[in-house]
Amino acid sequence: MNEDETSGVPIGSIENPDVDARSSLDNENKSISSYEVFEQCIIRAENLVSLHDSTEEIEAVSDEHYCDCYRAAVVLTISALDAFLRKAIISEIRKVLSDTDKTVNEELSNYVKKLLNQDKLLDAARRHDLLDQVEGAVKDDFETKSFQGEWKIETYLKLVGYKNIFSEVSVKADINENNLRGKLNVYTKRRHVIAHSGDYDLNQTPHKENNIQKDYAKDCIDTVRLFARTIHEVMENTR
């Protein structure tokens, strides 16, 4: 392996006036929502996938480089979904608890009581800052959790009243529910293999690098974007 390939030194001359990456954030000073942050991350993933379109004539950029761009796009896309859901669920928990006209469901009630003991609940009542206390406790708890894979996503969205988010999304987005669940699980597992095993099949000797194609990365981005966008729309419609 060429030393320049691992040291961060530019490989050859990769200056190309045709490279036109999309800006992930037009106005850095404005406040943006968790969904908008997700979209900016997806734009970055798309930039990684589209790099091939403007550099394919440059000999210094090999197929291996493009494949690693596709792998990076998959990791970034699944991580963006994780971050979006994490923040969206925290926001939904606060919204549910602030609606004093409705009864909190048993799942969320039990979850909050596990996070805040009686002393903390009493203190929050005295200070009139229950929502802030709950939000802080949930954020701390979520730091130890991931929101990747259908089971995790479905479980935590049930806390805030979405009994079957995959069914809601599939109907609204006109996509087969089983296919949606299956794709998300496939891409999530692939993200883990890339992130933790370098995208090698460690069960084989010698270790074999898993194949990846541009279409695979593009479908990962498209599927995750559709899923997140539809969840965002469902949540907005319940406000």
Side-chain angles (χ1 to χ4, degrees):
M1 178 179 291
N2 188 301
E3 182 179 351
D4 288 347
E5 292 182 342
T6 58
S7 63
V9 178
I11 302 173
S13 176
I14 313 181
E15 296 180 2
N16 190 329
D18 296 326
V19 175
D20 184 23
R22 296 171 61 195
S23 173
S24 67
L25 191 57
D26 294 329
N27 185 352
E28 294 182 357
N29 294 322
K30 74 173 186 176
S31 176
I32 60 177
S33 69
S34 59
Y35 178 71
E36 288 173 316
V37 172
F38 166 81
E39 270 295 329
Q40 309 316 322
C41 292
I42 292 300
I43 288 173
R44 294 198 188 282
E46 288 179 324
N47 286 339
L48 287 167
V49 172
S50 65
L51 184 65
H52 182 274
D53 299 336
S54 51
T55 60
E56 59 184 344
E57 300 300 324
I58 301 175
E59 293 184 1
V61 185
S62 66
D63 287 342
E64 286 77 14
H65 291 102
Y66 294 128
C67 287
D68 283 342
C69 283
Y70 305 151
R71 293 183 177 100
V74 171
V75 173
L76 178 56
T77 298
I78 297 300
S79 297
L81 177 62
D82 184 317
F84 162 66
L85 289 171
R86 186 186 306 270
K87 294 174 183 176
I89 292 170
I90 290 173
S91 178
E92 288 292 299
I93 288 176
R94 188 175 183 111
K95 183 182 75 173
V96 170
L97 294 179
S98 65
D99 188 351
T100 56
D101 293 330
K102 294 183 180 179
T103 302
V104 177
N105 67 59
E106 185 177 0
E107 292 91 341
L108 180 56
S109 177
N110 290 336
Y111 174 64
V112 171
K113 285 186 286 187
K114 286 181 181 179
L115 297 180
L116 296 174
N117 59 35
Q118 291 182 346
D119 289 339
K120 290 182 179 180
L121 287 171
L122 176 59
D123 190 51
R126 290 177 58 244
R127 296 174 182 272
H128 303 289
D129 65 349
L130 176 63
L131 294 180
D132 290 338
Q133 290 285 342
V134 170
E135 182 174 332
V138 172
K139 285 181 178 178
D140 290 343
D141 185 52
F142 280 10
E143 287 296 319
T144 67
K145 294 177 170 59
S146 71
F147 293 82
Q148 299 172 6
E150 58 159 333
W151 181 83
K152 283 283 188 69
I153 295 170
E154 193 168 50
T155 297
Y156 281 92
L157 281 170
K158 281 181 179 179
L159 287 178
V160 289
Y162 300 99
K163 298 300 182 183
N164 192 337
I165 192 62
F166 282 92
S167 177
E168 289 191 55
V169 168
S170 62
V171 170
K172 188 173 180 61
D174 192 24
I175 184 174
N176 181 274
E177 181 179 341
N178 289 332
N179 288 345
L180 175 62
R181 288 175 179 270
K183 280 188 173 185
L184 283 176
N185 280 335
V186 166
Y187 293 132
T188 298
K189 290 177 181 177
R190 186 63 178 273
R191 178 265 173 202
H192 296 338
V193 172
I194 295 170
H196 301 298
S197 305
D199 207 21
Y200 285 92
D201 183 351
L202 302 183
N203 293 319
Q204 292 193 27
T205 305
H207 303 326
K208 179 182 178 182
E209 184 179 72
N210 296 314
N211 181 49
I212 191 167
Q213 300 293 330
K214 183 178 183 179
D215 287 346
Y216 182 95
K218 288 179 65 176
D219 189 64
C220 173
I221 292 171
D222 291 343
T223 300
V224 170
R225 171 181 263 153
L226 175 63
F227 182 62
R229 182 178 69 233
T230 309
I231 286 180
H232 176 65
E233 290 172 355
V234 168
M235 289 180 173
E236 286 293 299
N237 289 337
T238 60
R239 292 188 184 277

